[in-house]
Amino acid sequence: MNNIINLSFPVTGTELWADHNHRLCAAICTQLPELHELKGFAINTITGIPNKQGKISLTHKSRLLLRLPVEAIAQVYQLTGKTLDVGGYAIQLGNPELQTLKPVESLKARIVTIKGYTEPALFLGAAHRQLQQLEINANIGIPANEQGEPKRLTLTIKKKVRGEIKKYTIVGFSVIVSELSAEDSIKLQIHGLGGKRRLGCGIFCPNITIYQGRREYDAKAVIS
C-alpha cells in the first residue's frame, strides 16, 4: 500500500546557491533533528531560475517539495512559517500543499547518483539493474545538455572532519524514465534510484514540458 505523499511548501526569498542541497538538508534538520532518522524522507531541490553563475533566483512559483510517509505529516508540517538559513540565504516556508503521488507515464529526476558509476554508459547499466530489482519494466535515458552531451551534474558537500572542513563531490546524471505502467510509476516515485535522497538525488517527479515562444522547454530545466 502506498503511504508516501508530498508536502509542497511555497518558498519566499530572493536567491539561493544552485548547489544548495546539502545546506538545505542541514537547515531543515536543524529545525527538526528527528528527520535525520525518518525512513522514506526525501528533500527535493528548491525550484528557481538559474543565473548561470552558481545561483538561482526565487520566484512566486518556487517550491520546496518534501516526500515523506503519511504518518509523518504532522511532524514535518511544523516547518510551516519557519525561516531557514540555507548557506547564508534566508528563506521562509509558507503553508504546504499536500499532494498524493499520481501515476504518469514519464518521470524525471534532476539528479541520480549511484556510487562508483560516473560514466554515462556504465551509469545507465547500473540504473537499469536497479529498475529490474524493483521489477519495473520501462525505458530509461539521460537527457542531453546544451552541448548535446549526457547531462552530468555534481553536488558539493562540506563536512567537518577532526575540526577540519573537507569538500566532497557527488557525481550524477539527470534521468528520464518513460513508458511506465501506473503501478510502476508509483513504485518509482516511492523508491527512487540511487542514493542521497535527503540531498535531492533519485527523486522522480512528472516530466512535464512547457511552451515558451517558439521553443519547448522541459519544465524542470527552466525552473530547477
Side-chain angles (χ1 to χ4, degrees):
M1 182 177 178
N2 173 25
N3 73 326
I4 301 294
I5 55 92
N6 294 328
L7 282 181
S8 178
F9 290 83
V11 175
T12 303
T14 55
E15 61 182 4
L16 285 174
W17 301 105
D19 185 0
H20 62 257
N21 300 74
H22 186 249
R23 300 176 180 97
L24 177 61
C25 179
I28 289 174
C29 291
T30 294
Q31 293 286 341
L32 298 175
E34 62 271 24
L35 295 183
H36 273 299
E37 307 301 326
L38 179 59
K39 194 172 182 179
F41 180 57
I43 304 172
N44 208 358
T45 305
I46 293 176
T47 55
I49 300 175
N51 67 2
K52 307 298 183 181
Q53 296 178 356
K55 296 180 182 179
I56 59 170
S57 298
L58 301 178
T59 74
H60 68 282
K61 293 185 178 180
S62 292
R63 296 292 184 273
L64 166 62
L65 186 142
L66 303 179
R67 189 160 288 172
L68 58 140
V70 170
E71 296 81 4
I73 290 177
Q75 183 179 2
V76 178
Y77 197 85
Q78 297 177 63
L79 291 170
T80 303
K82 297 291 187 183
T83 297
L84 306 181
D85 180 352
V86 183
Y89 291 101
I91 60 170
Q92 185 172 37
L93 304 182
N95 195 43
E97 175 190 1
L98 190 152
Q99 303 170 346
T100 57
L101 301 185
K102 299 186 183 304
V104 292
E105 182 271 342
S106 180
L107 294 170
K108 179 180 178 181
R110 176 179 176 270
I111 180 173
V112 174
T113 180
I114 302 176
K115 189 174 182 179
Y117 295 92
T118 58
E119 296 302 321
L122 296 176
F123 170 86
L124 273 179
H128 186 258
R129 289 192 292 275
Q130 290 195 7
L131 285 180
Q132 290 179 319
Q133 290 170 1
L134 291 170
E135 298 182 340
I136 292 176
N137 182 26
N139 287 333
I140 184 169
I142 301 172
N145 60 19
E146 294 174 354
Q147 290 74 43
E149 301 168 341
K151 192 171 182 180
R152 185 196 305 261
L153 297 170
T154 58
L155 297 178
T156 301
I157 298 176
K158 294 181 180 179
K159 285 187 177 182
K160 184 177 285 188
V161 180
R162 300 185 187 91
E164 182 182 352
I165 300 296
K166 292 191 175 182
K167 287 186 178 181
Y168 299 87
T169 300
I170 297 173
V171 177
F173 296 89
S174 292
V175 171
I176 294 176
V177 181
S178 60
E179 298 188 15
L180 285 158
S181 68
E183 179 183 355
D184 286 349
S185 179
I186 296 295
K187 190 186 299 183
L188 183 57
Q189 290 176 72
I190 291 173
H191 296 285
L193 294 178
K196 308 295 184 184
R197 235 34 111 244
R198 286 169 173 74
L199 299 184
C201 302
I203 304 172
F204 283 84
C205 297
N207 182 30
I208 302 170
T209 56
I210 59 175
Y211 185 81
Q212 292 187 352
R214 297 185 178 181
R215 294 180 59 194
E216 279 193 349
Y217 296 83
D218 184 279
K220 294 294 180 183
V222 175
I223 51 172
S224 69

